[in-house]
DNA sequence: GCTAAGTTCTGAACCACATTCGAGA
DNA sequence: ATTCTCGAATGTGGTTCAGAACTTA
């Protein structure tokens, strides 16, 4: 990881012109990384819209506002004065974000997340207004996965458990998973994607890898002497698209986004119920009678309640266990939680 | 730049059986 | 034309694994 400020994708993210709010997101998270790309646009747009507080993430009202904006496809009504995207390696207190952080995590006023780098998104809404977002990325992670592939994977397995642990801005975490978030119908798969994509970018260090999608352009690095001149020019040109071109691309992408279908269609709910309750051996459906005869040694790791696990008595009244699905719930209890979560995001 | 070895990731296959479908009586 | 019967086809989810894709030395 480099120190701030950095030049990314041929652009230096500082002192962007107002009309570059969503365009910056378009550049940072180009279309191949669609879900996060779009989320980034929404976030940036929120930042541009939210001028009623110094730090829109600070209070609960703005949380709702932020949430609403994340999900809103409406174009921004206000524009950012500046957008600054820092990449930093040393934790420093946010300039105006005392409420932004969980103070219990502060050490001498500094965040202390060993083994993590931070990516800070700073927005300046005016001469006196600004807010900061930070994403924490494992600095030990050296992988350089193909971003497009990562995104593709996210649809099939939605797994981020296999990656090194990470911490991203705590308030942001709370925000995304807050009750208000759920109350606004945000538990749908596509909205889960929004959360998981943010996480994934952090957990996999994909910001580093974004450069791979633009092999012909400049890489993610700290500014050299040559780049310094780029920095000076950054006020006037960001990325490869003009403002109109970016707007057009964003509009096109939004239209495409609205047509997405993230949900797996269950044609017959009764069959799903049956499948959920059907006994399995190594993931395969097992005969009802056969299941009860399986010796304990072959029943994965289960120290107790094996009889309950393998004696299938048809449909259960209580079908929704902690992991959903009656018999499946019992079955699931025998799994390592991480393994279970991996598959529970299957849609 | 090329190659081999290692790693990561994806998607198809597998399984049982209740339900659905459609042809024939 | 309507109803009934019965065999075939379908759909459902967790796990495994082959092979593709990618990374590293």
């Amino acid at each position: 990881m480099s120190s701030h400020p950095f030049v990314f994708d041929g652009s230096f993210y500082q002192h962007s012109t107002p009309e570059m709010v969503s365009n910056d997101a378009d550049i940072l998270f180009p279309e191949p990384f669609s879900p996060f790309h779009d989320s980034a646009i929404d976030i940036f747009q929120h930042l541009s819209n939210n001028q009623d507080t110094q730090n829109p993430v600070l209070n609960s009202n703005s949380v709702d506002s932020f949430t609403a904006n994340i999900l809103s496809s409406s174009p921004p009504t206000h524009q950012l004065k500046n957008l600054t995207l820092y990449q930093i390696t040393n934790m420093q207190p946010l300039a105006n974000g005392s409420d932004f952080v969980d103070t219990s995590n502060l050490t001498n006023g500094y965040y202390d997340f060993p083994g993590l780098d931070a990516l800070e998104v700073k927005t300046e809404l005016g001469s006196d207004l600004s807010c900061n977002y930070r994403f924490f990325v494992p600095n030990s992670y050296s992988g350089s996965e193909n971003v497009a592939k990562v995104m593709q994977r996210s649809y099939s397995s939605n797994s981020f458990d296999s990656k090194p642990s990470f911490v991203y801005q705590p308030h942001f975490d709370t925000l995304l998973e807050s009750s208000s978030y759920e109350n606004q119908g945000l538990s749908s798969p596509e909205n889960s994607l929004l959360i998981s994509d943010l996480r994934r970018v952090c957990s996999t260090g994909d910001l580093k890898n974004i450069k791979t999608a633009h092999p012909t352009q400049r890489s993610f690095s700290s500014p050299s002497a040559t780049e310094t001149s780029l920095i000076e020019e950054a006020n006037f040109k960001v990325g490869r698209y003009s403002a109109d071109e970016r707007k057009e691309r964003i509009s096109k992408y939004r239209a495409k986004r609205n047509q997405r279908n993230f949900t797996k269609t269950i044609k017959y709910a009764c069959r799903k119920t049956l499948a959920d309750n059907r006994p399995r051996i190594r993931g395969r459906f097992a005969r009802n009678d056969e299941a009860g005869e399986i010796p304990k040694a072959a029943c994965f790791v289960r120290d107790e309640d094996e009889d309950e696990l393998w004696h299938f008595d048809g449909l259960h009244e209580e079908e929704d266990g902690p992991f959903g699905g009656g018999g499946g719930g019992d079955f699931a209890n025998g799994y390592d939680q991480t393994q279970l979560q991996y598959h529970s995001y299957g849609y």
Side-chain angles (χ1 to χ4, degrees), chain A residues 19-290:
Chain A
E19 63 271 18
M20 291 176 178
V21 175
S22 60
N23 296 339
D24 284 343
D26 191 36
I27 294 166
L28 262 176
F29 312 103
E31 191 157 337
F33 329 117
S34 302
F36 188 71
H37 161 280
D38 211 46
S39 301
I41 292 174
D42 291 330
I43 291 171
F44 288 178
Q45 285 187 352
H46 163 78
L47 298 180
S48 67
N49 289 339
N50 205 324
Q51 300 187 26
D52 56 348
T53 176
Q54 279 199 331
N55 190 333
V57 185
L58 294 183
N59 58 61
S60 57
N61 290 335
S62 60
V63 167
D64 290 337
S65 173
F66 185 34
T67 302
N69 275 279
I70 285 180
L71 296 174
S72 171
S73 296
S74 61
T77 55
H78 306 284
Q79 301 294 347
L80 273 178
K81 293 291 177 60
N82 291 291
L83 170 66
T84 306
L85 191 54
Y86 290 113
Q87 185 181 18
I88 58 179
T89 54
N90 297 320
M91 299 301 153
Q92 297 178 0
L94 302 176
N96 57 354
S98 60
D99 293 332
F100 186 47
V101 301
D102 178 358
T103 54
S104 64
N105 289 332
L106 287 173
T107 304
N108 297 326
Y110 285 73
Y111 255 104
D112 183 18
F113 290 124
L116 298 176
D117 289 335
L119 174 66
E120 176 177 322
V121 179
K122 179 179 180 180
T123 65
E124 296 181 9
L125 305 174
S127 58
D128 298 322
L129 306 179
S130 67
C131 64
N132 299 273
Y133 294 87
R134 284 188 178 185
F135 299 89
F136 296 92
V137 185
N139 57 24
S140 59
Y141 185 67
S142 60
S144 55
E145 302 171 62
N146 179 282
V147 172
K149 187 171 184 177
V150 169
M151 298 312 297
Q152 180 186 357
R153 182 192 176 209
S154 70
Y155 293 112
S156 63
S157 68
N158 281 305
S159 172
F160 44 79
D161 298 312
S162 60
K163 296 298 181 185
S165 60
F166 74 97
V167 178
Y168 58 94
Q169 212 301 317
H171 194 107
F172 198 41
D173 191 358
T174 303
L175 166 68
L176 290 174
E177 300 183 28
S178 67
S179 58
S180 65
Y181 192 84
E182 295 174 356
N183 289 342
Q184 297 187 37
L186 306 182
S187 57
S188 61
E190 59 263 50
N191 293 325
S192 296
L193 272 176
L194 187 152
I195 299 171
S196 60
D197 290 335
L198 286 170
R199 285 173 165 166
R200 192 168 299 104
V201 166
C202 296
S203 66
T204 61
D206 280 350
L207 283 173
K208 172 186 175 182
N209 301 323
I210 288 173
K211 69 175 183 180
T212 62
H214 301 276
T216 62
Q217 297 192 6
R218 298 172 63 87
S219 62
F220 194 96
S221 62
S222 58
S224 63
T226 305
E227 288 163 343
T228 303
S229 59
L230 244 176
I231 292 171
E232 295 171 353
E233 297 174 5
N235 288 335
F236 309 99
K237 185 178 186 303
V238 173
R240 51 183 169 167
Y241 300 114
S242 68
D244 289 340
E245 287 172 334
R246 293 195 197 101
K247 286 178 181 177
E248 183 181 353
R249 290 175 67 84
I250 292 170
S251 298
K252 181 182 175 182
Y253 180 77
R254 282 224 171 85
K256 199 165 67 179
R257 178 191 63 177
N258 292 335
Q259 294 176 348
R260 288 187 202 144
N261 180 15
F262 289 92
T263 59
K264 177 182 178 180
T265 302
I266 301 298
K267 202 171 178 180
Y268 302 103
C270 59
R271 289 181 172 174
K272 172 176 170 55
T273 302
L274 288 166
D276 286 340
N277 289 280
R278 186 158 289 152
R280 300 167 189 272
I281 299 176
R282 298 175 70 84
R284 298 180 178 183
F285 294 128
R287 298 177 188 279
N288 292 338
D289 53 348
E290 181 184 353

Side-chain angles (χ1 to χ4, degrees), chain A residues 279-282 284-302 305-312 331:
Chain A
R280 300 167 189 272
I281 299 176
R282 298 175 70 84
R284 298 180 178 183
F285 294 128
R287 298 177 188 279
N288 292 338
D289 53 348
E290 181 184 353
E293 300 170 356
I294 300 300
K296 290 184 178 181
C299 296
F300 296 95
V301 179
R302 176 102 178 171
D305 298 332
E306 283 88 354
D307 291 343
E308 178 187 351
L309 174 61
W310 292 107
H311 287 168
F312 176 71
F331 194 74

